[in-house]
Amino acid sequence: MTETPFVPAVDVTALLLDTDTLDAFLGALAHHALDLAPNATGCGVTLERQGRPVTVSSAGPTATELDEAQYGQDDGPCLQAMRTGTTISVPDTLNEKRWGTYPAYAATHGARSSLSLPIAPHTHTAGALNLYAPHPHAFDTTDHQPLHLLAAQATGAIALAQRLSDARQFTDDLHTALQSRTTIDQAIGIIMGQQRCTPDHAFTILRSASQHRNTKLRDLCAELITTTTGQPPAATPLHPRP
């Protein structure tokens, strides 16, 4: 009896911590999937973003092309795996009757068999791990358990990475908002000095001018500061609060 060769498990959490961005993590994930399926020559990672499937990372020369062919007809094994949460195996694309013209396209583009495993099924980050091989029945002798474990671990890691990415975006948005607030505060100070008025009245003057000129308030304030001082708005408050 032939023993299945030992394949070391992938520590997806460590992989996530070792990469700086979500894209880098997904790229490493695709390459690790190829390590677990030595007969495969390509791997694509599909994630649904804003209601559309996107190959967010790939390894191998044709994975992205094969993924996108399925997106074009809105049908195929990777989309079925993503939408149903089940593993989809294609033993031989030349004998495959599902998914319209896609199997013939895959065969002519060097994929005679494929394996698609769901990632984060039934969530807003649903996706699939798609493996492609140039020979039929290439995954018949592959141990699927490590691949299933990788996809299952990726489910939690991608959700975490997405939260971290969202947090960074929130931080960037907050920084932009604070910069806008600083610019507006500086402009209010200028109007107060010119008109000898209260901060509320100065803000009303700026807002009315913004509406009249159909210009964003921050842009109007930046223009006022530059015109008055000869310098662009300061990046930080002139008089930060304690």
Side-chain angles (χ1 to χ4, degrees), residues 108-189:
T108 59
H109 285 75
R112 285 291 301 276
S113 57
S114 68
L115 186 69
S116 297
L117 302 100
I119 293 174
H122 314 302
T123 72
H124 71 285
T125 54
L129 191 66
N130 312 302
L131 291 156
Y132 301 100
H135 306 293
H137 301 279
F139 301 101
D140 290 359
T141 57
T142 299
D143 185 358
H144 290 193
Q145 185 175 356
L147 289 169
H148 283 293
L149 179 60
L150 179 67
Q153 289 180 323
T155 293
I158 287 174
L160 175 58
Q162 189 64 55
R163 289 192 187 98
L164 293 174
S165 178
D166 291 344
R168 282 192 292 269
Q169 183 62 52
F170 174 77
T171 301
D172 291 342
D173 291 345
L174 180 60
H175 180 67
T176 299
L178 290 174
Q179 284 187 319
S180 296
R181 182 69 257 177
T182 298
T183 299
I184 294 169
D185 285 344
Q186 292 171 26
I188 287 174

Side-chain angles (χ1 to χ4, degrees), residues 5-186:
F6 172 74
V7 180
V10 178
D11 187 343
V12 174
T13 303
L15 183 64
L16 177 60
L17 295 174
D18 287 341
T19 50
D20 295 329
T21 65
L22 177 59
D23 289 342
F25 165 71
L26 294 170
L29 186 69
H31 282 90
H32 275 293
L34 287 182
D35 291 340
L36 296 174
N39 291 331
T41 56
C43 177
V45 180
T46 297
L47 288 181
E48 192 169 45
R49 291 184 169 177
Q50 298 180 341
R52 296 176 58 248
V54 178
T55 298
V56 292
S57 187
S58 64
T62 60
T64 299
E65 188 176 8
L66 291 166
D67 286 349
E68 291 180 348
Q70 299 173 64
Y71 309 156
Q73 67 177 37
D74 195 32
D75 199 13
C78 85
L79 296 181
Q80 187 170 336
M82 180 182 74
R83 290 166 178 169
T84 65
T86 58
T87 299
I88 305 298
S89 175
V90 181
D92 189 348
T93 52
L94 286 182
N95 296 326
E96 184 57 66
K97 304 302 181 184
R98 297 170 289 180
W99 310 302
T101 60
Y102 167 73
Y105 175 90
T108 59
H109 285 75
R112 285 291 301 276
S113 57
S114 68
L115 186 69
S116 297
L117 302 100
I119 293 174
H122 314 302
T123 72
H124 71 285
T125 54
L129 191 66
N130 312 302
L131 291 156
Y132 301 100
H135 306 293
H137 301 279
F139 301 101
D140 290 359
T141 57
T142 299
D143 185 358
H144 290 193
Q145 185 175 356
L147 289 169
H148 283 293
L149 179 60
L150 179 67
Q153 289 180 323
T155 293
I158 287 174
L160 175 58
Q162 189 64 55
R163 289 192 187 98
L164 293 174
S165 178
D166 291 344
R168 282 192 292 269
Q169 183 62 52
F170 174 77
T171 301
D172 291 342
D173 291 345
L174 180 60
H175 180 67
T176 299
L178 290 174
Q179 284 187 319
S180 296
R181 182 69 257 177
T182 298
T183 299
I184 294 169
D185 285 344
Q186 292 171 26

Side-chain angles (χ1 to χ4, degrees), residues 190-223:
I190 291 173
I191 296 297
M192 288 173 63
Q194 292 175 345
Q195 301 293 327
R196 304 293 181 181
C197 62
T198 65
D200 288 344
H201 186 61
F203 180 73
T204 300
I205 292 173
L206 290 169
R207 186 173 58 185
S208 297
S210 171
Q211 293 171 347
H212 179 71
R213 294 177 54 179
N214 194 27
T215 303
K216 290 182 178 179
L217 180 61
R218 182 184 184 278
D219 293 341
L220 176 73
C221 292
E223 180 183 343

